[in-house]
Amino acid sequence: MLDIFLLRKDLASAIARLETRKNPQAFLDVQAFQALESERKTLQTRTEELQAQRNQLSKHIGMLMGKGDKEGAEAAKAQVAASKVELEQSAQRLEQIQTELQTMLMAVPNLPHESVPVGPDESGNVEVRRWGTPATFAFEVKDHVDVGTPLGLDFDMGVKLSGSRFTVMKGGIARLHRALSAFMLDVQTQEHGYAECYVPYAVNADSLKGTGQLPKFEGDLFAAKKGGQDGEPVPDHAALYLIPTSEVPLTNFVRDVVLAESELPIKLTAHTPCFRSEAGSYGRDTRGMIRQHQFDKVEMVQIVHPDHSYEALEAMTGHAEAILQKLGLPYRVMSLCTGDMGFGAAKTYDLEVWLPGQNNYREISSVSNCEAFQSRRLQARFKNAQGKNELVHTLNGSGLAVGRTLVAVLENYQNADGSVTVPEVLRPYMGGLEVLVP
């Protein structure tokens, strides 16, 4: 959530930055915001006047009583009573205004950092660097569907059990998928200093509000219905949602917490399934595993001092790159433009891996600095050197998306006979197996 004091101080500048994002007209009703702010200022000024007047009258009543002027004291008391009624009405309206402003701000995305390239959509993204050279093949390259199906990828069974955009893995391909997640966790914990966590796969609405998925993106979530006692329905406030990413539970570790500055940075990782309804993506990437309702991810989350969040963003991007480099998968790093960034991000790098079957680079990791956008919702703070509570900065990124990494391994390590060479770093997780054979 944006800092309301920033909007009050320089609304025009904030709006100018928001307008560089996609669909800016859907973010903030400027006229409604200004009307509420104007009313708030008027009420606060009037409230201060009434409080000063009441204090003055209270002193005056004491003086009149001391002089024996009961009639004058009663008249003053009547004025105090009248101001009390008006004060109570003002307080109620101020509370309503604050609620309306809060609701309004919950729908407004983060402001892009000044270093973010301005652009309308993915066409405005800027390539930062590349690593590796795409391999050349002496045979006709297949995509991961044609490579993986004989090895145990079963899309028909996924449809039978759950519907479209669900996949079943069996045999060697399932083992390779498990090997990838274990390898990623080992690298992030043993080489990059993240603490491994196990988290719930279903979370409450407060957790999703804290990281920005609710209320704006409820359509992208899967709600988990719970049965009530004796057939009674479960109230809305008790509803749970399947996690779209373990960023949600991990970042909420610090919700309503005041940390010591010495506790920063906090570095967390978890391997979980992720559940996304992919609202608005129908017709896109319908073939294979690129866009699924359920997929696995090893997530990285950092909670850091505000002075160090952009240093942390670069480091986290490197932590994701390390996985691809160890696997020998060519990729490029893209700085996302203002029109392509996620709702809560101030700056984002995407890692795009080379897929020979598509003859293209495709996203495999997204690493974002949210600055104080999430922590303001979460009320996640630390005690700074001056002894004051200050909002932390939060960052998150994929380290990596396991299913898309599997896709990249299948396509980049495929052989002419339909087998797939197991990358060397994964062989210890595969019992020394070097090749997956149909």
Side-chain angles (χ1 to χ4, degrees):
M1 190 165 62
L2 296 184
D3 184 356
I4 194 168
F5 295 106
L6 174 65
L7 297 180
R8 289 169 180 167
K9 181 181 178 181
D10 192 356
L11 180 61
S13 175
I15 294 301
R17 290 166 70 184
L18 284 173
E19 285 179 343
T20 65
R21 278 184 167 270
K22 194 173 184 178
N23 300 325
Q25 66 277 5
F27 296 150
L28 182 65
D29 186 332
V30 176
Q31 288 186 330
F33 176 80
Q34 290 176 322
L36 285 171
E37 272 293 292
S38 176
E39 186 180 358
R40 180 192 62 79
K41 288 179 183 178
T42 301
L43 279 172
Q44 284 191 336
T45 300
R46 179 57 179 160
T47 297
E48 290 167 4
E49 289 174 355
L50 287 169
Q51 288 171 336
Q53 184 184 80
R54 187 176 63 176
N55 292 339
Q56 189 174 12
L57 283 169
S58 296
K59 292 179 182 178
H60 189 54
I61 289 168
M63 184 182 70
L64 291 172
M65 293 291 286
K67 291 180 178 180
D69 185 355
K70 292 184 179 180
E71 186 176 339
E74 289 301 319
K77 286 179 181 179
Q79 283 184 276
V80 170
S83 67
K84 181 181 178 182
V85 171
E86 189 176 350
L87 275 169
E88 288 174 349
Q89 292 173 341
S90 293
Q92 289 176 354
R93 179 54 188 154
L94 274 172
E95 188 174 341
Q96 289 176 345
I97 289 172
Q98 297 291 6
T99 300
E100 290 178 43
L101 286 169
Q102 185 90 347
T103 300
M104 192 178 291
L105 289 181
M106 290 288 269
V108 180
N110 206 350
L111 299 179
H113 187 261
E114 59 186 12
S115 65
V116 174
V118 175
D121 50 39
E122 62 183 18
S123 66
N125 296 341
V126 175
E127 184 174 319
V128 178
R129 57 183 172 272
R130 291 190 183 201
W131 184 93
T133 303
T136 56
F137 295 84
F139 55 90
E140 186 176 350
V141 174
K142 299 176 182 178
D143 70 4
H144 69 281
V145 176
D146 291 334
V147 174
T149 300
L151 296 170
L153 272 185
D154 195 334
F155 297 100
D156 292 337
M157 185 63 75
V159 172
K160 176 182 177 179
L161 297 177
S162 303
S164 62
R165 298 187 190 266
F166 288 93
T167 303
V168 167
M169 302 179 209
K170 297 179 288 191
I173 206 94
R175 189 177 186 185
L176 182 60
H177 185 265
R178 174 164 57 91
L180 280 166
S181 60
F183 163 68
M184 292 174 189
L185 279 176
D186 283 349
V187 172
Q188 302 305 356
T189 57
Q190 296 172 18
E191 298 184 22
H192 301 146
Y194 291 84
E196 183 176 350
C197 303
Y198 176 82
V199 296
Y201 299 166
V203 295
N204 56 34
D206 285 342
S207 295
L208 289 154
K209 287 175 183 174
T211 46
Q213 284 81 13
L214 286 179
K216 191 173 180 66
F217 300 104
E218 186 165 12
D220 291 324
L221 302 171
F222 282 106
K225 292 184 178 180
K226 298 190 298 179
Q229 292 183 350
D230 300 323
E232 291 295 320
V234 176
D236 289 341
H237 66 81
L240 294 178
Y241 296 83
L242 299 179
I243 58 171
T245 162
S246 58
E247 167 205 340
V248 176
L250 291 174
T251 309
N252 271 272
F253 281 11
V254 293
R255 173 160 41 105
D256 297 324
V257 173
V258 179
L259 300 159
E261 189 171 355
S262 60
E263 294 179 79
L264 301 175
I266 296 172
K267 300 167 69 175
L268 307 170
T269 188
H271 164 231
T272 67
C274 306
F275 304 90
R276 300 184 185 179
S277 73
E278 295 288 357
S281 70
Y282 296 103
R284 296 172 58 198
D285 297 313
T286 55
R287 179 174 168 82
M289 293 180 64
I290 294 295
R291 195 175 297 275
Q292 297 276 280
H293 289 317
Q294 176 185 317
F295 60 95
D296 280 36
K297 189 148 66 85
V298 171
E299 186 74 2
M300 306 175 294
V301 163
Q302 288 202 28
I303 314 296
V304 305
H305 190 290
D307 292 347
H308 306 311
S309 65
Y310 280 93
E311 178 185 337
L313 176 64
E314 300 297 329
M316 288 178 71
T317 304
H319 298 161
E321 288 182 76
I323 302 294
L324 291 171
Q325 291 178 12
K326 290 174 186 292
L327 289 169
L329 296 171
Y331 67 89
R332 65 183 184 182
V333 179
M334 305 293 290
S335 179
L336 297 196
C337 71
T338 53
D340 198 33
M341 282 199 311
F343 181 75
K347 184 171 184 174
T348 298
Y349 290 118
D350 268 10
L351 272 60
E352 297 180 349
V353 70
W354 176 254
L355 297 183
Q358 295 190 21
N359 196 37
N360 201 0
Y361 287 94
R362 294 301 303 268
E363 179 200 338
I364 196 168
S365 174
S366 192
V367 187
S368 298
N369 184 0
C370 298
E371 297 186 355
F373 186 82
Q374 292 179 328
S375 58
R376 190 168 288 109
R377 291 168 172 246
L378 295 162
Q379 281 302 289
R381 296 153 290 168
F382 72 100
K383 192 77 69 175
N384 65 21
Q386 291 72 43
K388 294 182 179 180
N389 290 346
E390 185 176 348
L391 294 168
V392 297
H393 279 193
T394 63
L395 301 95
N396 64 80
S398 308
L400 303 164
V402 182
R404 291 197 179 191
T405 309
L406 178 66
V407 167
V409 168
L410 293 177
E411 294 196 8
N412 282 275
Y413 283 90
Q414 63 181 294
N415 301 309
D417 62 359
S419 66
V420 171
T421 301
V422 176
E424 192 170 338
V425 292
L426 297 182
R427 292 173 190 174
Y429 300 89
M430 298 284 289
L433 188 68
E434 296 183 4
V435 181
L436 286 183
V437 179

